[in-house]
Amino acid sequence: MKKVFIDTMGCQMNKSDTERMLGILSCLDYEETKEPKEADLLIVNTCSIRQLSEDKAFSMLGLWGKWKSEGKKIKIGLCGCVAQQKAEKTFRRAPYVDFVLGTHKIYSLPEIIKRAEAGERVCECTETNATEDDKAAEFPIHRVKSVNAWIPITEGCNNFCTYCIVPYTRGRERSRQPEIIIKEVKDALNQGFKEITLLGQNVDSYGKDFKDKNYRLAQLLRDINSLDGNFRIRFVTSYPTDITDELIETVVELDKVCEYFHIPMQSGSSVVLKAMNRRYDRDTYKKIVEKVRKMVPDVTITSDFIAGFPGETEEQFQETLSAIDEFELDYSNTAAYSPREKTIAAKWVDKYIDEDIKTERLARLNEKVRENCLKSNLKFVGREMEILVEDFENHKGQNVITGRARNNKIVHVPCEKDLTGEFVNVKITGAKTWYLQGELI
Ligand code: SF4
């Protein structure tokens, strides 16, 4: 058997693509290795959300190219968002690359590998308006051993936020067929996974593009919830104004669907939100969060924010800090603005914020997130929660299990036995910034 090494960068969508690629490659007699030096095939599955990941990808390709020039018999591939963006140009910058595979045609991999092994240099970055559902059933998925299986339900995005590269690298939004998704869920449950996370850039708009049926995320959740077994269901990411009352009611009504919403706000300032081409203002976001909190008991709401968007004033940045407080956001991912080629905001060079100011704002933003995360965690001290155990390790001489509550809070519990994959009830005894402490009950 030949060996393949895949370095996966960025988001969960990329990790999911890698699991699919490994499944396809297993049908071509490749087995995964975690050691690049022993691989016959080396692939970097890239993310282009930030310039840093792109630079890292090319530096890794450079290292592998050096191994090739020293006589190592290897094939090198560039996949993912950077591949989709750079396409043929990759060969000028990294001539040792054998194939470039974009985000739209993962299932072309067998054909591409065959041609690359025959000595051809191959580039497959054509954009399509269809999903690859027709091919998905033919190949296994090589899932990372864990309790949580990530299953894409939509690909691409139609929103064109002015800072975001996704619509250019992953194309327009396409919903996967429910029967294919449900089959993948059943396969994952049969393999022992206990939590299913439905994945998409904008999961709430799932099904909008179906011409032949009225089938939306709420219905998909109902159909998955009705499957046998003790498991949980989550979905990410939600676009604020696409969260319908029906969806919120479904979360409340279905026992397996967890009380957790990830609703990126991006900025607390309505002026900046408009410049970002987000389809809501501060007040609309506030109403959505309030509604979710009112309807879903014990819900956790997390968000994403960008510091230093072009033109952002100090006052507008402070509106972001106050939004985190006012809406009691439980946790937020943060990033300093990074211009991405092709996007509208990248052209606003005269409005770019100085790197020093961006770094300083990001530090203040992170501090605010930390503060609110601790505040949110403290609310649960003394409560009883069910956790799904994800890990067992010895920490400073003590055996500890780590699990996730339904609302996505991480809980550490002293325990002598490895209970990974089991649901256990715990009492919360303490709160730290990023996790809760508990004891078995
Ligand atoms: S909603 Fe906006 S930020 Fe999210 S993937 Fe789509 S374009 Fe990008």
Side-chain angles (χ1 to χ4, degrees):
M1 242 182 160
K2 289 172 281 186
K3 292 199 160 67
V4 54
F5 171 84
I6 306 187
D7 189 293
T8 309
M9 298 177 163
C11 63
Q12 202 57 51
M13 192 63 93
N14 264 20
K15 291 179 190 157
S16 170
D17 284 349
T18 291
E19 291 180 341
R20 277 158 213 278
M21 287 197 270
L22 287 170
I24 298 166
L25 287 165
S26 71
C27 300
L28 304 178
D29 270 347
Y30 277 94
E31 69 177 2
E32 188 187 14
T33 173
K34 299 284 182 200
E35 183 41 70
K37 283 213 157 147
E38 60 181 40
D40 305 282
L41 173 62
L42 292 143
I43 296 175
V44 55
N45 189 13
T46 53
C47 166
S48 59
I49 292 283
R50 283 182 243 302
Q51 183 64 37
L52 198 67
S53 331
E54 186 180 318
D55 295 344
K56 204 176 142 210
F58 276 96
S59 127
M60 196 171 309
L61 290 173
L63 173 70
W64 297 344
K66 189 166 165 277
W67 294 351
K68 207 183 205 185
S69 68
E70 287 164 359
K72 217 168 164 0
K73 298 258 171 294
I74 48 176
K75 294 288 169 195
I76 301 174
L78 176 73
C79 299
C81 291
V82 174
Q84 184 69 37
Q85 214 186 343
K86 303 284 172 200
E88 294 275 355
K89 283 189 210 153
T90 307
F91 299 125
R92 286 210 294 273
R93 184 166 169 190
Y96 29 80
V97 167
D98 297 285
F99 66 90
V100 180
L101 172 63
T103 52
H104 290 251
K105 295 217 173 156
I106 286 180
Y107 290 96
S108 309
L109 200 51
E111 172 66 21
I112 287 175
I113 298 283
K114 215 163 110 193
R115 286 165 60 192
E117 283 179 344
E120 195 183 331
R121 189 183 259 185
V122 201
C123 178
E124 176 50 275
C125 296
T126 339
E127 201 173 309
T128 66
N129 288 324
T131 64
E132 291 194 281
D133 278 347
D134 52 331
K135 312 237 179 63
E138 291 172 30
F139 295 97
I141 301 170
H142 186 93
R143 293 195 185 281
V144 172
K145 211 172 165 315
S146 136
V147 297
N148 189 358
W150 297 80
I151 299 186
I153 64 168
T154 63
E155 293 163 18
C157 185
N158 290 345
N159 283 326
F160 288 92
C161 302
T162 53
Y163 53 85
C164 181
I165 191 121
V166 166
Y168 305 96
T169 55
R170 291 208 169 252
R172 298 305 91 76
E173 193 171 276
R174 286 103 59 211
S175 301
R176 302 186 69 212
Q177 290 300 324
E179 55 275 17
I180 299 286
I181 296 168
I182 292 168
K183 181 188 174 298
E184 289 183 7
V185 172
K186 285 183 181 166
D187 288 348
L189 296 175
N190 287 337
Q191 288 165 30
F193 287 89
K194 295 290 172 61
E195 192 168 275
I196 301 296
T197 302
L198 305 177
L199 190 62
Q201 258 81 30
N202 182 8
V203 278
D204 310 319
S205 64
Y206 174 75
K208 269 189 188 169
D209 53 329
F210 289 148
K211 304 257 181 320
D212 56 339
K213 52 186 167 276
N214 181 15
Y215 188 100
R216 303 296 299 274
L217 179 60
Q219 185 58 45
L220 180 64
L221 291 172
R222 276 188 213 109
D223 287 344
I224 296 175
N225 194 78
S226 70
L227 298 175
D228 288 339
N230 189 13
F231 66 96
R232 290 174 174 176
I233 308 165
R234 300 185 190 278
F235 55 90
V236 285
T237 295
S238 294
Y239 190 91
T241 44
D242 286 332
I243 301 174
T244 59
D245 286 2
E246 187 197 6
L247 177 65
I248 307 172
E249 282 156 13
T250 309
V251 172
V252 179
E253 170 203 325
L254 300 179
D255 60 329
K256 290 170 184 160
V257 179
C258 294
E259 296 75 22
Y260 170 63
F261 281 78
H262 182 63
I263 318 175
M265 187 184 191
Q266 307 298 3
S267 169
S269 152
S270 297
V271 175
V272 176
L273 287 171
K274 193 153 188 250
M276 287 175 164
N277 194 31
R278 302 290 286 182
R279 290 181 276 111
Y280 52 88
D281 58 14
R282 181 182 174 110
D283 198 44
T284 310
Y285 184 89
K286 178 183 175 176
K287 287 189 180 123
I288 293 159
V289 167
E290 282 175 351
K291 192 197 289 179
V292 172
R293 285 210 192 281
K294 198 164 157 213
M295 290 172 70
V296 189
D298 276 344
V299 71
T300 292
I301 300 176
T302 58
S303 192
D304 296 341
F305 286 98
I306 296 171
F309 185 75
E312 181 191 67
T313 63
E314 170 59 26
E315 290 69 30
Q316 288 162 348
F317 172 68
Q318 284 184 20
E319 288 187 72
T320 291
L321 300 181
S322 69
I324 296 175
D325 280 335
E326 188 183 338
F327 311 148
E328 296 181 36
L329 297 170
D330 297 275
Y331 170 76
S332 301
N333 300 310
T334 61
Y337 171 75
S338 161
R340 305 310 295 127
E341 200 186 315
K342 286 192 182 168
T343 61
I344 294 174
K347 299 186 181 83
W348 300 338
V349 181
D350 53 333
K351 292 186 180 170
Y352 280 8
I353 305 294
D354 281 354
E355 285 304 318
D356 290 354
I357 298 177
K358 270 201 297 191
T359 309
E360 187 263 343
R361 284 185 190 167
L362 181 62
R364 281 156 68 204
L365 180 56
N366 287 338
E367 188 46 42
K368 179 56 73 188
V369 170
R370 270 195 286 275
E371 205 181 282
N372 274 262
C373 199
L374 179 60
K375 227 189 272 174
S376 155
N377 283 347
L378 283 166
K379 289 186 206 153
F380 292 93
V381 176
R383 296 274 302 273
E384 291 181 9
M385 298 174 111
E386 180 200 66
I387 62 164
L388 169 60
V389 181
E390 295 183 351
D391 199 14
F392 174 68
E393 63 174 0
N394 189 284
H395 183 66
K396 294 182 183 162
Q398 184 176 44
N399 287 329
V400 177
I401 52 171
T402 299
R404 220 170 263 271
R406 286 178 62 96
N407 63 5
N408 217 31
K409 292 278 179 195
I410 292 169
V411 189
H412 293 320
V413 183
C415 179
E416 286 312 312
K417 205 167 150 208
D418 183 357
L419 300 176
T420 302
E422 291 187 31
F423 293 94
V424 295
N425 291 320
V426 299
K427 178 157 185 192
I428 304 304
T429 53
K432 299 281 184 192
T433 302
W434 305 125
Y435 62 91
L436 297 168
Q437 296 161 309
E439 59 188 25
L440 291 173
I441 48 177

